[in-house]
Amino acid sequence: HYHLNKIKARNQSTETCWIFFGILTANASIISKRMQQAAQIKSTAA
């Protein structure tokens, strides 16, 4: 789902880092979408 099958790390530590930043980015994307939805609801309610 988050393209984790495309990780091209060469060792365990860099693989863990790639996975961490992939999940971090996915979470940031979800939070951004929720904030946009909340702003739209707030602007239409006003």
Side-chain angles (χ1 to χ4, degrees), residues 2-43:
Y2 297 113
H3 302 287
L4 293 177
N5 59 341
K6 294 184 179 182
I7 294 174
K8 296 182 180 177
R10 294 182 184 241
N11 59 35
Q12 184 67 34
S13 63
T14 56
E15 180 180 359
T16 302
C17 186
W18 277 70
I19 291 171
F20 172 79
F21 282 113
I23 293 171
L24 182 73
T25 304
N27 287 337
S29 175
I30 291 169
I31 291 169
S32 173
K33 288 178 186 177
R34 287 183 184 174
M35 290 176 68
Q36 287 177 346
Q37 289 173 350
Q40 287 177 350
I41 291 170
K42 191 174 184 180
S43 67

